Amino acid sequence: MRVLVRRPRGGLAGTIRVPGDKSVSHRAGLLGALAAGPTEISGFLESEDCLNTLGTLGALGVEVTRKGPGEYRVEGAGLQGLQEPDDVLDCGNSGTTARLLLGVLAGQPFWSVLTGDDSLRRRPMGRVTQPLAQMGATVVGRSDGSRLPLAIRGARPLKALRYRSPVPSAQVKSAILLAGLFADGEVSVEEPVPSRDHTERMLRGFGARVTADGRSVTLASGGELRGHAIQVPGDISSAAFFLVAAALVPGSAVTIPGVGVNPTRTGLLDVLGEMGADLRVTDGREGEEPSGTLTAGTSRLRGARVGGALIPRLIDELPVLAVAATAAEGVTEVADAAELRVKESDRIATLGAELAKLGARVEEHPAFELAGPVGLSICCFRFVPPDLPEGSGREAYLSVLNERLMAEMQVDGRVFLSNAVLGDRFVLRVCVVNFRTEAQDMDAVLEVAEELGSKIDGELRPEDLR
Ligand code: S3P
């Protein structure tokens, strides 16, 4: 790999923007589709996962128009307006698309078939299909209806449900709440510890009656959703990589405005603060989703113990927390994180394998543990240039590169990005993976790298990849 994006000698310094929040983007598309009237979305995350959600909505007869980068208009079909898809709905790699969509489809009087990529077809869906079946939906599919591909036929109306979820999962909670829009009575979900509450907040914004009480949330039956404008905040899960990078790279000061700081998502900020990170949230703005400016600088970190109710608040940031732990003095212990085993990969295993390549050891009990600080070696990856037909654009080239990259690493995006933070050329690796999962726009991400003071030696060309 010969595209050299070098870490600046003086550290990472500057102001950057991160792409829109993934969870909020999915929900904006889905609820916009079910509303009466149009929903204008800005800051939508144009990643494969969120575009898959829009694609499936298109297949269900919803008109979605891209008006500009991250700007979409969804013509709401109303609660009764979705149409039977004439082909299989492909959710790609996106668990959020599959599970939330199952909730919506449970209330549709027609058959739909859902599938996904290799990773998604391995992930558990029974946690969603079981409660939906209790509400009256018919689901058949692999592993007794608990693995994709799945076929679902909805019922109208669905039955009311009081559900006690065995796992703290916003996807399970959201699927049931979305199905609740089609129920003839109240639905409520109780979780072992609260998970992210974007669905509840957005449902209220669309006019639904939702109440929350500690670990329980209830949706009243009846009523319509009304389309409205949604501004998606920056994704704290993307900001997390830069916050940890700033803490680890000497001489750094990074500012990230417009990041979502919903308290159900800010667990990493709490833990990094406890570890001694120089981290601030300023310019707080209230709204359907609160946001603020995050600032991080080089820090001396110490180990921390993480578990319990904190886990769902930083579930997607645990890989990058493990990276922070390699630089921290003392042991960092993460308990109650079994959910990591059923993400895009078994993230505890892949973290162990990937960090081992760099010289760090992750001990696995049921909890995982890392003793720092660890002197890490820099890991280099080699890529064979893909054979593309002559005249293929840079975009096609990069997308093949990314496929290879993911295959080669055998990890999922978040673990890879976390390791990327460690490398001397971490920004390059952030760029490459961000291209696939976050920005879909290599130039924009390279600009971010430059804003942070990185030096970029030239354009990405096929010959650079030898
Ligand atoms: C998400 C919830 C979390 C998270 C995922 C997005 C959501 O998954 O890991 O990246 O948007 O609801 P679980 O609900 O399975 O914990």
Side-chain angles (χ1 to χ4, degrees):
M1 169 76 76
R2 294 261 170 75
V3 189
L4 299 181
V5 181
R6 293 210 183 95
R7 191 173 92 187
R9 284 206 180 283
L12 298 162
T15 299
I16 56 165
R17 290 209 165 257
V18 289
D21 188 276
K22 180 185 84 162
S23 295
V24 176
S25 296
H26 282 296
R27 287 155 172 84
L30 284 163
L31 288 180
L34 297 176
T39 290
E40 305 271 354
I41 311 171
S42 49
F44 186 89
L45 172 63
E46 297 186 294
S47 67
E48 275 180 20
D49 282 10
C50 296
L51 293 175
N52 278 334
T53 290
L54 295 187
T56 57
L57 293 173
L60 290 161
V62 180
E63 201 183 311
V64 180
T65 315
R66 184 177 193 266
K67 296 170 66 186
E71 305 281 326
Y72 286 82
R73 181 183 166 96
V74 180
E75 296 296 340
L79 288 174
Q80 319 291 331
L82 298 186
Q83 291 158 24
E84 186 171 78
D86 56 18
D87 203 350
V88 173
L89 301 170
D90 190 351
C91 305
N93 187 245
S94 176
T96 315
T97 307
R99 296 195 178 114
L100 271 57
L101 198 59
L102 281 166
V104 171
L105 294 173
Q108 309 309 315
F110 51 72
W111 277 103
S112 311
V113 181
L114 269 72
T115 192
D117 71 6
D118 290 357
S119 152
L120 191 59
R121 291 198 309 274
R122 279 194 295 269
R123 296 180 66 188
M125 295 292 149
R127 50 178 60 196
V128 167
T129 54
Q130 276 163 19
L132 295 178
Q134 283 178 40
M135 292 176 78
T138 305
V139 187
V140 289
R142 286 172 61 224
S143 306
D144 220 4
S146 65
R147 292 269 190 282
L148 296 177
L150 287 170
I152 179 164
R153 190 184 199 291
R156 279 269 174 90
L158 288 168
K159 289 181 268 192
L161 180 72
R162 233 169 210 286
Y163 190 66
R164 186 173 285 182
S165 176
V167 283
S169 160
Q171 295 180 358
V172 171
K173 174 175 64 179
S174 301
I176 296 169
L177 291 176
L178 290 170
L181 293 168
F182 306 94
D184 60 5
E186 215 171 75
V187 292
S188 68
V189 184
E190 184 186 317
E191 300 183 278
V193 289
S195 63
R196 65 190 68 190
D197 66 355
H198 304 298
T199 305
E200 297 90 301
R201 286 170 182 260
M202 202 180 283
L203 275 169
R204 283 191 203 106
F206 275 90
R209 284 170 300 144
V210 181
T211 50
D213 179 13
R215 295 182 287 121
S216 291
V217 49
T218 303
L219 170 74
S221 73
E224 280 232 315
L225 302 181
R226 287 182 303 276
H228 70 136
I230 295 178
Q231 170 69 53
V232 180
D235 197 329
I236 193 166
S237 300
S238 299
F241 301 109
F242 293 98
L243 298 177
V244 171
L248 265 50
V249 177
S252 296
V254 171
T255 301
I256 320 176
V259 181
V261 287
N262 176 324
T264 60
R265 293 283 299 283
T266 50
L268 181 75
L269 304 186
D270 296 353
V271 175
L272 286 178
E274 201 182 301
M275 292 172 84
D278 169 16
L279 195 68
R280 260 162 302 141
V281 185
T282 54
D283 195 23
R285 283 167 203 228
E286 285 310 316
E288 195 170 291
E289 287 289 344
S291 62
T293 297
L294 304 183
T295 331
T298 313
S299 312
R300 272 183 82 100
L301 300 179
R302 51 184 177 269
R305 282 173 163 236
V306 184
L310 242 178
I311 295 296
R313 296 180 55 231
L314 49 46
I315 188 77
D316 291 339
E317 288 67 70
L318 285 170
V320 80
L321 178 66
V323 168
T326 64
E329 189 76 44
V331 174
T332 295
E333 188 193 280
V334 179
D336 309 315
E339 277 295 297
L340 278 185
R341 300 227 183 251
V342 290
K343 294 292 176 191
E344 283 80 342
S345 69
D346 172 344
R347 282 191 174 151
I348 298 182
T350 43
L351 254 179
E354 295 305 314
L355 285 176
K357 290 182 192 166
L358 301 165
R361 250 195 41 214
V362 176
E363 299 284 348
E364 291 181 39
H365 317 297
F368 70 88
E369 197 175 285
L370 210 150
V374 188
L376 294 167
S377 56
I378 289 164
C379 187
C380 295
F381 303 97
R382 277 187 69 82
F383 301 101
V384 183
D387 306 315
L388 283 183
E390 218 168 294
S392 300
R394 184 166 174 240
E395 204 161 294
Y397 199 88
L398 284 169
S399 91
V400 174
L401 166 71
N402 280 311
E403 289 311 318
R404 296 267 170 105
L405 182 72
M406 301 307 263
E408 190 125 338
M409 296 282 300
Q410 294 196 332
V411 293
D412 60 56
R414 290 198 200 278
V415 175
F416 180 59
L417 272 168
S418 303
N419 277 7
V421 169
L422 292 169
D424 185 36
R425 300 188 191 132
F426 88 93
V427 178
L428 167 66
R429 298 188 197 156
V430 170
C431 287
V432 174
V433 176
N434 249 7
F435 174 73
R436 178 175 186 271
T437 60
E438 311 287 356
Q440 299 280 356
D441 180 348
M442 188 70 169
D443 293 325
V445 185
L446 286 175
E447 266 169 39
V448 170
E450 273 181 317
E451 278 167 38
L452 286 174
S454 295
K455 187 169 168 340
I456 298 166
D457 298 349
E459 278 265 295
L460 184 59
R461 293 159 309 184
E463 53 273 30
D464 288 325
L465 300 168
R466 286 191 190 108

